[in-house]
Structures are given as structure tokens and as C-alpha cells.
Amino acid sequence: MIETPPLVDQYCHGVLRTELGLGSFEERLGRSVGPAAAGTTFFDTQAGFAVRRWCPPLLGLEAHCSPAHYLARRRELGVLEVGRRLLRGAGVGVYLVDTGPPGDLTRPEELAAAADAAAYEIVRLEQLAEQVADTSGTAEAFLGNLAEAMAAAAVTAVAFTCGPAAGHGTALAFAPEPPGAGEVRRAAGRWLAGRAKGGPVRDPVLLRHLLWCAVASRLPLQLHAGAAEPYQRIDRTDPVLLTDFIRATAGLGTDLVLLHGYPHHRQAAHLAAGFPHVYADLGPALAHTGARAAEVLAEFLELAPFGKLLFSSGGRQLPELHVVGARVFREALGRVLGGWVADGAWSLRDAERVAGMLAAGNARRVYRLGRAGTAAAERSAPVLLDR
């Protein structure tokens, strides 16, 4: 058995505060823009099977019980108690929470209280820009207010995150250099003029400006790559397309973390191996591959130095996905590293040291998290290492 410390979930979202029926629960298991095809169910996926394996025992049921039985127990306990039981059973000590996605999701402090863990905020650049735009009448005011908002956010956030290809119809292969001041003002003016009814940041010049402002903050910058959403063209989400931007940011003091690399996880691991300031995210590739997660993890470990890989669940909306991400990661880690120990390729001491790096140590170093003892103590008195 490979022992690990409490996990640092370096990228996740909050969970829903509302009860869900069978159909709405099931849709959140899939990676589709709509419900399952007629006559099928998203429970019949690796993620669905993983939920039925790991989550029912935390609610007092037998593993692999039927979806109907599981959801009936979920309704019986209520959404708050279900969230508390599941999150506390995940074995996560620290959550880094992207607060950008819309919806009735718990804030970091609520997630921390439910899980009896620590939680820190990851600030999504696009959402921050949209909030600033709502109170800025001109391009000049917008850019000035944006700079102030980013400086304020950097005081308490542990990272910025941005999805330059996420739902915007743009590719990751954007121009790598910072845009000029005049170019940014013109782009801001166009965007402000066109968003009378509100709207996301789609302008590639503004996205580049946001990215380079984040680089200047010296906070870690998380970049969404890989097919995290079903409406993204998979050929536009390969992290290799970020190579020019990665090269341009080398030596500037900002770490880049490539999120959601799967199914391009080998490319993400390759970039992490090639650039000192680049790291690769292990999740939710493992959560969505379920029983095949050990093979996927081994592919990460073939290419990337072990100090460049970070666990995350990628959990969003369903606390079950936080549980599955954590439990599948631990099991895959045990299978891969335990197998190498059994073969004599690794010592048990080295296997547990590397397991600790992937589970928590690497994330604590990258995000400059303190070590405040128990999770409850860390939540009540968070400590960040000097930047």
C-alpha cells in the first residue's frame, strides 16, 4: 500500500447547493452538451461506474448499488449532508477553487466548511474582466480598473486561470507576444461597445492582454488545454499549441500549469519536461478514465519529471466528482507505484516520497501554500509562503 498525505486538489469548482433529479444528476456525469442518447445513460461510463464504486459506501450503501437506489439515498439525506459526507470522505486537505463558472455553486469558504479542509480561490481572468467592464464606461477606464482589480485579486488568490480556447472559438495557438497598448485600447473599445447585453471576453487581443497581466503578477497561471468541454474542437485544444507562449514566458518568474490535458496528456507532460516553469495537471483525466486511470497515470510518469505533476479532481457541481477524482487518483497511484515496488524497480521509500509529491508536495510548492498542521487549523488561519 502506497501511503499519501491529505491531497491538495489544485483545481476544482464548488458544488451545487440544490437537489437534483435523476436526469439532471446524470447529465452532470457526462461530457456532452445534452442528455444521453435515447435508451442509454451516462451512468454507463467510466465516470459513472467510478461514482457507483466509491460514493455509495460514504452514504451508507453498498458499492455498485443501482443508480436509482443511490439517488433515493441522496434525496433522503439532503444535499447539505450528502456534500458533507462525500467531501469529508475524499481525503482532500486543501482545495484550490476556480470561482469563475456560473451557477449556484458553493464558494471556497463553504466548500472548506463542508469538507473540513482548507480552501483558496483561483481567480478566472475572463470573469474578472467582465465584472470590471460592468462598471467602466470607456476603454481607458476599463483598462485602469482592470489593472487595479488584478492587483487586488493577487493579494488573496493563489493563482489566476484562463481558458483562451474555452468556448471562444479561438485556438490555443494565439500570438505569443504581449499586445501593444494601442492595440489593447482599440480591442477594449470594440468589446465594450459590443457587450450592451453582456458577454464573455472573446477578443484574442484582450485575452492575450489578460494572460500577460497575469504573468506580470508572478502568481501561477493555469491554462485550460485539452477537451474539457464537449463544444470545443479537440484539434484546437492540444497544449502543444501553447509552445510559443510558453517559450515567451520562460525566465519571467511565473509558473504555468496546463489543465485538462487529456486526451493530449502526453503532450502536456512533454512540455512540463521541457520547460522549467511548466507543470502538468493529472486531473480530471484520471477521474474520467476510471478503471483505466493507472494506464493514463503511467503515461504521465513516462514523460514528465515527478516534481512537475499535480493532482486535481477537476470536480464541479457534483461532490461525487470530487470524491471520484481523489479516490481514483489514489488507487491508480497505488497500482502504478506499488507495481514498480513489487517488481523491484523502485524502493517503497522512493515510491512513497514520489506519491507525496504528486498528491500534495508539488502543489504546495507551486502555489506557495503554508503548512499549518491540521486542515481545520489551515482553514481558520491560512498561511501563504512569501512570494
Side-chain angles (χ1 to χ4, degrees), residues 282-373:
L282 294 172
L286 304 185
H288 283 287
T289 50
R292 290 279 299 170
E295 288 78 7
V296 175
L297 177 61
E299 291 182 343
F300 273 107
L301 295 171
E302 287 176 8
L303 290 167
F306 309 136
K308 304 298 288 295
L309 298 172
L310 307 172
F311 160 75
S312 81
S313 69
R316 176 178 177 179
Q317 299 187 342
L318 301 178
E320 283 84 355
L321 297 181
H322 294 73
V323 172
V324 165
R327 293 295 186 95
V328 168
F329 166 74
R330 277 203 173 95
E331 186 195 44
L333 201 61
R335 284 190 187 181
V336 175
L337 302 191
W340 293 345
V341 170
D343 291 343
W346 285 33
S347 70
L348 178 60
R349 180 178 179 179
D350 278 339
E352 291 187 340
R353 180 174 59 85
V354 170
M357 292 163 59
L358 273 60
N362 292 339
R364 288 190 175 276
R365 173 170 47 85
V366 171
Y367 297 103
R368 306 172 181 104
L369 302 177
R371 300 176 183 275

Side-chain angles (χ1 to χ4, degrees), residues 8-30:
V8 175
D9 188 343
Q10 66 103 30
Y11 185 82
C12 68
H13 306 279
V15 300
L16 286 167
R17 300 186 180 97
T18 52
E19 298 281 1
L20 296 173
L22 174 60
S24 54
F25 182 94
E26 180 186 332
E27 286 180 18
R28 288 164 173 81
L29 285 179

Side-chain angles (χ1 to χ4, degrees), residues 74-229:
R74 212 178 185 275
R75 288 191 296 273
E76 177 187 348
L77 291 172
V79 65
L80 294 179
E81 178 64 12
V82 166
R84 189 188 69 83
R85 292 192 185 195
L86 292 175
L87 292 171
R88 294 189 182 197
V92 174
V94 181
Y95 291 94
L96 308 188
V97 185
D98 177 357
T99 56
D104 186 23
L105 303 181
T106 53
R107 296 282 303 170
E109 60 273 15
E110 297 173 88
L111 192 69
D116 191 29
Y120 302 99
E121 184 177 12
I122 301 167
V123 172
R124 186 174 285 253
L125 294 171
E126 300 97 320
Q127 185 190 49
L128 187 64
E130 290 155 21
Q131 292 170 346
V132 170
D134 290 337
T135 58
S136 303
T138 66
E140 289 75 12
F142 166 72
L143 294 173
N145 293 339
L146 178 63
E148 292 180 2
M150 290 191 68
V155 173
T156 56
V158 293
F160 287 115
T161 189
C162 185
H168 304 311
T170 58
L172 289 177
F174 52 85
E177 69 278 355
E183 190 179 9
V184 172
R185 281 194 301 272
R186 290 190 293 273
R190 290 193 303 270
W191 180 56
L192 291 172
R195 69 180 306 273
K197 297 181 180 180
V201 181
R202 288 192 171 95
D203 190 290
V205 174
L206 283 184
L207 288 171
R208 285 164 56 207
H209 178 66
L210 291 172
L211 289 173
W212 279 101
C213 287
V215 169
S217 77
R218 300 293 183 90
L219 282 183
L221 173 59
Q222 299 176 335
L223 297 168
H224 294 250
E229 302 293 346

